Amino acid sequence: MITLNLNSDAPLLPRALAVLCAFATLSPSVHATQGDKNQLEHIVVNAQKSPQNLQEVPVAVTAMSGDSLVEAVIKDVFDLQNYVPSFAAFQNQSVTNSGFSIRGIGTSSQNFGFESSVGLYVDGVYRSRQNALINDLVDIASVEILRGPQGTLFGKNTAAGAMTVSSVAPSFEETDGFVEVLAGNDELLRLSGAASFVVLDDILAMRISGFSSRAEGFIEDTHSGKTLNNKNRSAVKVQWLYTPSDTLSLRVVADYGELDERCCGALTWQSNLQANGVPGKFGTDALLQAPPFNATLYSRDNFFQYTTSLSQVPTSKMTDKGISAQLDIKFNDVWSLVSISAFRAFDSFDIIDSDFSDANLLTAENDARQQSFSQEIRAHYKSKSMRAIFGAYYFTQNLDVDFNTTTQEDFSSFFTIAAADLLPLADAIDGLSQATAGAIAPAGVLAPSNTVFYHSAYQEQDSIALFTQADWRLNGKTTLTTGLRYTIEDKDILGQYGEQGPGIDGLAKNPQEWPNVSKALAGLQQIGTALAAGDAPSDSALAAISPFQSDGWGYYFLGAATVLPRDDLMATFSDNQLTGTVKLAYRPSETTMLYSSLATGYKAGGTNTDRISPQFDAVFDAEKARSAEIGVKQEWRELGLRMNLAAHYTQISDFQATTFDGTGFNLQNAGDIDVKGIELDANWYMTDTTELAFSAARTLANFKTFKKGTCWVAYTWHTGDDDPGRATPEDPFCARDGDRVGFEPQNSAALTVTQYFTLSDIDGWVSVDYQYTGNVYLDDTNDPYKRSPAYQIVNARLNLYFADLDSHLTFWARNLFDEEYVARSGFDVPVQQGKIMAYPGAPRSYGVTVRKRF
C-alpha cells in the first residue's frame, strides 16, 4: 500500500516527486494500452504547409493530437500553455484582452490597432484576434505551435511564431463521433459532442460538433454577491467534405461561437493606504475607506482569499463566426493546388469597473466590431530532388471601435478632496465673482460626475503578399530550404474624440487654452490690483482665469490620456516588407537530424485605436524580427526515447510596446529586444507501460534599447526612490535599456509521468504533471513591486477505458496542491497612485469526465 503525505505545508516539489514516484511504482499487468517502447509515435505535422514527419521538419515545433488534449483534460489554450516550451497565454481586464507569446515575445490585445506577434491559424484561416481561441478546444485534430519567426509561409504577424489548430474533418469511413460530459467544482458543467455523417457514399460527408460550458468563478465580489472569472460559452461547427474524384476535394467549414462572462477579476497586489517607506504619507485607500465613500478595500494579505468588492461587475461578451472553403486539386504526381477562402466576423463588448473598488468613480466600456476576408492560393510542386510552394495571399479587414470612459457619481467628491491644492485658486475666483456681483464669473465645477469621455476608431486594412519556399535535396542526407515573402500593407484610420457631461459639451483641444495655474495666479493679482484702483481688469488677466471658469477644468490636471481632449485623427499607414528564411538540415542517420536556420519575420505597423496622449504618434512602425536557430532532433528507438533540442537567438527591432501607468497606455516603438534561449522536448517510454514527457526552456528576453519607457510608479510613491532610468527629475520617460521584458519567465519546465495498466478487462492509465514557471515582472516597467515569484503546479488524472462500451471515465485535478500564484499580469490602478492590482491564477479545480465514442 502506498501512503502519500499531501500536507499542504510541505514544500511543493518534494510532494510532487512523491506523487510521481508513487504512480511510477504501480504494478502494471502484462500489456499496456499504449503500445511498446520500440514503437515511438509517428507524428505528422503541417508546420511547412505540407504533411511531414515531426522529426524531419527543421523547425522548433510542438504538436499535440486531439487525443492528447482530451487525455490531459486541456479545456482551453490557458491549460495548454504549460505543456509547450516557451509558450504562454495571458488574459487581463476582459476576455477580449487575451493573447499569446512565444520565446518571450507577445502582444497585448488591449489595443485593437495592434496585431499579434504570434500568428493564429484555425483550419488554415488566419485569425486576426487571438481571443477568438479562448473558447474550449473541442473536436480538435491537432494543435501545432511553431517557435521563432514564420514570415515566409505564414506571413505577417508571426514575428515570434505561429499556432495552427486543425479541427477533426468529416469522415467517409466511420461516424467518428463522441459525446462528453465534463463536470467539476465551482458548478462546472460542459456538454460536448461531434459526429460525421455520410450524405453520398465517397462523395459528400458532413460533420457537426459543438459544446456548451458553464461554471461559477473562483473570485467572489462581495458587493454584488456574484463570482468573477466564471464560464458561460458555447459554439457549434458544421463542416462539409466534397470529394467527387480522387484528385479534387472541397472542405467547407462554418462556425459560430459566443461568450458572456464576468471577466476578469483583479485583486490588490499592493495597497496605497500608507506608504511603505515614507512616514505619514497616505494614499487614496485612506480617502476611499472613509466617509462619504466607505469603500470596502483589501490589501496584499487578502490577495489569495480571492475576494473583491466592485461597484459594477465586469462584463465580457463576444461572438465569433465565419465560413471558409478549402479547395484541393491534384493535377498529377508533381503539381497540386490549394485555395482557402474565408470570411470572418468578430464582435466584442466589455465593461469594467476601472477604479477596481466599490466606490463609484470610473467605468469603461468597449464595443468593437471586426470583419475580414482572406484568400490564399498555393501551388505545390514535388519531385525527387525538390519540393516547393508558390503562393499569394490577400487579407482585408474593417475594424470599428467605440470606447467610453465615464466618471461616476462619487468622482466629483473624490477628485475635489484628492486635488485639494487646487481649491484655493477656485475660492479666489469665487471671491472675485462675489466682489463684482457676478460681473466676473465664478469658478466652474472642478470635475463633474457622470462625464463621458468617448472615442471612436474606424480602421480599414488591406494586405497582399506573394511567397515561395523550396526544399532542395542536395543529397540523400542534406536538404536546403529557402523562402521569401513580399508583403504590402495599407491602413487608414478615422478617430473621433469628445467629452459630454453636466455643463460640458467638449473640452478645449488647444493646449494654449488649457488652465494654467501660474498664469491664473498672475491674472488674479492683476485683476485684484485693477479693481482696488477702480480700473477695469485687462483682457489678458481675464483670459488667464477664463479656463478655470468652465465646468470640468479639473480634468486637465488628472494627467490621464483617457480624459485629455485631442483633435480628431485622420491617418494612413503604408508599408512593404520582404521576409525570408534559409534552413539547412542534415540527417546522418534515419533517427538523427541536425539543422540550422536564419529567418526573418515582422508584425505589421499600424494606427493606434486608443485615446492616447498627444505626445505619442498615432502611427507606429512595423516590428521586425531576425532569428538564428540551431537544433537537433534525435530518436533512440531501442530505448523508446525521442529528444528535440533547439538553441535560438532573436533580435526584435522597433518593438511595439504598450504599458499602462495609471493614467493611460503608452504605446510606441520601443527600440530593440534581444531574445536568446534553449529549449528541450523529450518523450521516453521507460518501460512498455511507463511513459515520461519532459520539456524545459531557458529564455532571456531583454530590452537592448528602450529610451522612452514607462517609469516606476508604485515603488517610487512608496519609497521616494526615483526610477534609475530617469535622466532628469522632469523627464516623463525612463530608459529601460537592459531590463527584462515583462510577463515572461526566464525558466520554465514541465514533467509528465504516465503509467498504463490493465485491471481485469479495464484498461487505464494514471498521469501526473509537474509544471514550474519562473518569476516574472507583471509589466515592462520592471517596478520592483511588480515582481511575481516563481510557482509550481501539479496536475493529476486517472483514466479508465471500458472497451465494451468504447467509453472513457477520467478523474482529474488541476493545481492539485492549491498553489497560490499570479497569472503573469498586473497594473497601476487609475487615479490611485501607489496601488497595484494583479490577476490571480486559478486555485485547485477537480472533476470527472465521461466520454462515449461511437
Side-chain angles (χ1 to χ4, degrees), residues 187-307:
E187 302 181 24
L188 170 63
L189 179 64
R190 186 182 76 182
L191 307 176
S192 60
S196 292
F197 306 92
V198 176
V199 182
L200 295 173
D201 289 343
D202 298 324
I203 295 179
L204 181 62
M206 69 178 299
R207 185 174 184 84
I208 301 175
S209 59
F211 78 91
S212 178
S213 184
R214 304 287 186 274
E216 288 300 311
F218 61 88
I219 297 176
E220 181 186 2
D221 173 39
T222 59
H223 186 83
S224 66
K226 298 179 179 179
T227 60
L228 310 183
N229 293 24
N230 68 316
K231 285 184 179 291
N232 181 18
R233 56 185 66 170
S234 57
V236 63
K237 180 177 293 184
V238 182
Q239 303 181 64
W240 295 267
L241 180 61
Y242 177 61
T243 57
S245 68
D246 294 337
T247 60
L248 187 147
S249 70
L250 176 65
R251 183 182 177 188
V252 177
V253 181
D255 64 275
Y256 176 86
E258 61 183 21
L259 176 150
D260 184 357
E261 297 179 350
R262 299 182 294 275
C263 184
C264 303
L267 305 178
T268 302
W269 183 248
Q270 173 63 60
S271 73
N272 68 355
L273 178 66
Q274 184 172 354
N276 294 329
V278 182
K281 184 178 183 179
F282 298 92
T284 55
D285 275 3
L287 169 62
L288 291 176
Q289 71 178 8
F293 310 105
N294 299 315
T296 305
L297 301 176
Y298 301 88
S299 69
R300 174 76 167 269
D301 294 338
N302 308 120
F303 190 86
F304 291 111
Q305 295 175 5
Y306 306 109
T307 302

Side-chain angles (χ1 to χ4, degrees), residues 72-84:
V73 197
I74 296 175
K75 300 183 290 296
D76 56 30
V77 70
F78 301 104
D79 291 340
L80 177 68
Q81 61 182 319
N82 290 318
Y83 298 88
V84 181

Side-chain angles (χ1 to χ4, degrees), residues 56-128:
E56 298 176 357
V57 179
V59 174
V61 54
T62 297
M64 296 191 71
S65 67
D67 288 341
S68 297
L69 299 175
V70 172
E71 292 166 6
V73 197
I74 296 175
K75 300 183 290 296
D76 56 30
V77 70
F78 301 104
D79 291 340
L80 177 68
Q81 61 182 319
N82 290 318
Y83 298 88
V84 181
S86 303
F87 172 74
F90 49 88
Q91 180 173 281
N92 52 46
Q93 284 195 17
S94 66
V95 175
T96 303
N97 295 332
S98 304
F100 313 142
S101 68
I102 293 178
R103 291 179 173 172
I105 303 301
T107 302
S108 169
S109 56
Q110 174 273 331
N111 191 305
F112 280 72
F114 264 154
E115 301 198 34
S116 61
S117 300
V118 179
L120 171 62
Y121 289 80
V122 180
D123 295 327
V125 177
Y126 173 64
R127 302 286 187 94
S128 60

Side-chain angles (χ1 to χ4, degrees), residues 740-754:
R740 282 175 58 180
V741 175
F743 313 106
E744 303 297 335
Q746 293 184 333
N747 302 297
S748 61
L751 173 66
T752 300
V753 174
T754 303

Side-chain angles (χ1 to χ4, degrees), residues 652-665:
I652 306 287
S653 58
D654 292 324
F655 177 70
Q656 297 167 4
T658 181
T659 303
F660 187 73
D661 64 0
T663 63
F665 285 92

